[in-house]
Amino acid sequence: MFVCDASDSPQKHDGFKWSTLAPLSNPLRKAAAEKKPPGKAAGGPKLNLKFPKVWGPKAPQVRRNSTSTTDKRTEPQDIPDLTAFSASAPPAPPPPALTFEQHLSALHLSEAGRLLLAREERLFVGGPDDKAPPLEVPSGDVDALAADRQTLEEAVLQTLRGSLDQMDADALKSAVTFMQQEDECDDGWEQYGGMAPPWRLRGWRQLHDETLRSLVEERMDAPPTPSTEQSSIQADVHGMGRRLRRDLLLVAERVKPCYPSHLAICQLYATWYHHCISIRLRRLADFGLDDRDCTFLLRWVNDYYPQLLQEPQLARELTTYVGRILDQAQEAWTKGEEPPKEDGCFVSPTAYDVIQVRYRITVQLSCLPGKTIAFRTFQAQVIKRNKANSAAFVKANLGCVAQFRHFLSTQSRLFPEDVREGCLSVLSDMKQSAHDYLLNPVHRNLKLCYRKLFSQEWLKKSTLVLLLSGLEDEMPQLQGSSESCHRELIGQLHQEVSVEYARRLLKGELRLKDKQQQQQAADNVDDDACALHDFFARHGSEEAWLQKALSMMAEILKLQDLPAIQCQVASLGSDFPDFSEKHVMSLLKLKCSLTKEDRMNIQAVLAEIPKDCGRSRPFFSFVLVK
C-alpha cells in the first residue's frame, strides 16, 4: 500500500514523491481527513487540477405540487408528462456504459482518456461530490492506471502516424480531443506544483508535432514509383513533388476537419513539407550534378515547384495563413506578452512565416499589399496604445520589416512592379514610424541638454559633454532589436541629433562679434562634430558623413576673407545640395563682422552651383530655419 505525498519523502521517483504510510501532515491528506475540499487545508498549496469531469449529470428530480404557507395557493412546478409512459411497455433502461477497453477497441480515444482521468482524479485528488482521495493508494491500482495510460498513448500516436494513410476521421478527431484534454490536465498539474506522476506523458503538442514531422520525412523518403525514362535524380525530384502535392491536398480535404482552426494544421504540414523538400534538394545540389541534371533542378525549383501549389484549395489555405500570422502577433500583444528573444534581441516569426508562404505560393499576389497594410495598421495600433510591451513589439517589427524589404528586393521577379513598389513604400513608412516611436522619448529627455548649446557658457567651453552624458543614459532603452536594425536606429538618432545641433546653431541666438570669438566658435563646432561622430560610431552608427556637414559649417565661421568664405559656401552647397540660401544667411548672421552687402554677395554663390541631389543624402532639408 502506498500513500500519495506532495511533501518531501524518503522515496522519490522523477519528481513525483511516494512514501509509505506517512503521517497526516500533507495538506491533501489533512483535507481529506477533515472532510474539507482538497487544497483548502491551512498552509497547503492551492489545488486546482483541471480534470475533465466525467461524472454524468444528476438525474432530473420530479418536483411535486407545493402549497404556499402564506396564501395556501397550489403552484404547479415542473410536473412531468406521464402520458407518454405505458403500463404495458415500461421505458427501456439506458445501455450500460462502455468500459475503458471497449472505448479503446473502438478507437474512442478521448472517451477512454476521460475514464483514465477520472481514475487519476479518484486516486490522487478526490471523487465526485467533493469526496477526498483515499489516504492509502494501492500499488496495484497505480500500476494498472500506468499500464492503461501507456496503452492509450500508444494508440493515439499510432492514429497520428496513420493520418495520411487510410485515415479514420473519427479516430483522428478523437485523438486530437484527447491531446487537448491532456494539455488542460497538464495545466492543472502545473498549478499543483508540477508533481505529475512519472508515468504520465506530458507535452502532447510538442509530441504531436514531432510525430507528424517524422511522418512527413518518412513519406518524402518513399515517393511514388518514378518513371524509368528519367535519370535517378529527376525521378526522385518528380516523385517528391507528386508526394508533396497529393499529401497536402489530402490534408486540406480530410485532415483539416479533424482539427480546431486555431491549430492551423494545413499550414503546419505545408511548412514541414517545404522544409523537408528544401533539405533534400540541397543534398542533391551538393552531390555533384552533371549539366543535364543541374539544368533540370534549376528549372524544377524556379518553375515547376511553385506551380505545385496552384491548386485553389491549397492557395486559399496558405493565403489565409498569412492573415492568421498577423492575428497571432496581435493577440500576443493584446495579452501583454513580449515577443521572444534570440541572442538578447526581440524577434518575431511574422516575416519568416509570411516569406515562407510566399515562396510556396505565387498566385493571389494581389493580396500581399493588403496584408502589408494590415501589418502597418497593427504596428500603428501598438504605437498608439503605448502599452508596457509596445516597445518590444516595435523592435521585433523592425526585424520583420528588414526581412520583408530584403525579400522584395532579392525576389523582385515574383512580383509585379507596382505590387513590389507599393509594399516597399508601406515598409518604409513602418520603419520610420518605429524609429519615431523609439527616438522621440530620447529627444524629450535631452531638451535641457540641447538648451545648453550655443550659450555664452558654451562659447567659453563646449557643453556637449552634458548632451553626450544624457545620450549615454538613453542607450540601454534602445537595445533589443536585431544587430542590423539597431545600427540603423542608432544611425537615425545620430542624424537627428546632428540636425538638432545644426538647427540650434542657425537659430541665431549666438552673436560672434570679432575674429577671436568666431575662431573659438569654429573650434567648438568642429570638436563637437568629432565628439558626436566618435560617440555614435562606438554605439554602432555608420553615418560618418554627418561629421562633414558640421565641420564645413565650422570652417565658414572661422574664415575672414570674403573670397575664401564664398569658396567654402560653394563647396558646402556642392556636397549638400539641400543647403539653401536661408541656411547661408542664418549662418552668416552669426558673424557680426560681415555687412549686409557681404552676406548678399556670398549668398549669390549658391545660385551658380549646379544641383545634383541624386548623389548626396539629405541633411539641411531637415534643418528648419526661419
Side-chain angles (χ1 to χ4, degrees), residues 155-169:
V156 171
L157 293 176
Q158 188 62 34
T159 301
L160 292 178
R161 296 187 192 103
S163 296
L164 302 178
D165 283 322
Q166 300 179 347
M167 180 196 67
D168 183 337

Side-chain angles (χ1 to χ4, degrees), residues 396-418:
N397 284 353
L398 280 174
C400 292
V401 169
Q403 293 177 54
F404 277 132
R405 288 181 64 86
H406 177 75
F407 174 65
L408 290 167
S409 300
T410 58
Q411 304 294 325
S412 57
R413 60 181 179 79
L414 297 178
F415 306 93
E417 186 62 21
D418 60 333

Side-chain angles (χ1 to χ4, degrees), residues 399-450:
C400 292
V401 169
Q403 293 177 54
F404 277 132
R405 288 181 64 86
H406 177 75
F407 174 65
L408 290 167
S409 300
T410 58
Q411 304 294 325
S412 57
R413 60 181 179 79
L414 297 178
F415 306 93
E417 186 62 21
D418 60 333
V419 171
R420 192 177 74 90
E421 291 298 329
C423 292
L424 287 174
S425 176
V426 171
L427 295 174
S428 295
D429 291 345
M430 289 186 64
K431 176 182 173 182
Q432 188 58 52
S433 66
H435 282 186
D436 291 343
Y437 175 73
L438 296 173
L439 298 181
N440 284 344
V442 175
H443 294 298
R444 286 196 297 269
N445 294 338
L446 295 176
K447 276 187 176 182
L448 292 178
C449 300
Y450 286 135

Side-chain angles (χ1 to χ4, degrees), residues 16 52 121 155 168 170 199 205 223 257 274 283 311 317 326 339 618:
F16 194 79
E121 186 174 10
D168 183 337
D170 291 336
W199 35 261
R205 178 61 192 270
H274 176 73
R283 289 174 183 169
E311 192 75 30
E317 292 293 342
L326 298 178

Side-chain angles (χ1 to χ4, degrees), residues 26 63 75 108 179 252 265 280 286 318 351 531 622 625:
N26 184 272
R63 301 178 63 184
E75 299 176 354
H108 302 159
M179 290 184 287
I265 191 62
R280 281 153 178 76
D286 294 340
L318 294 175
F622 299 112
V625 294

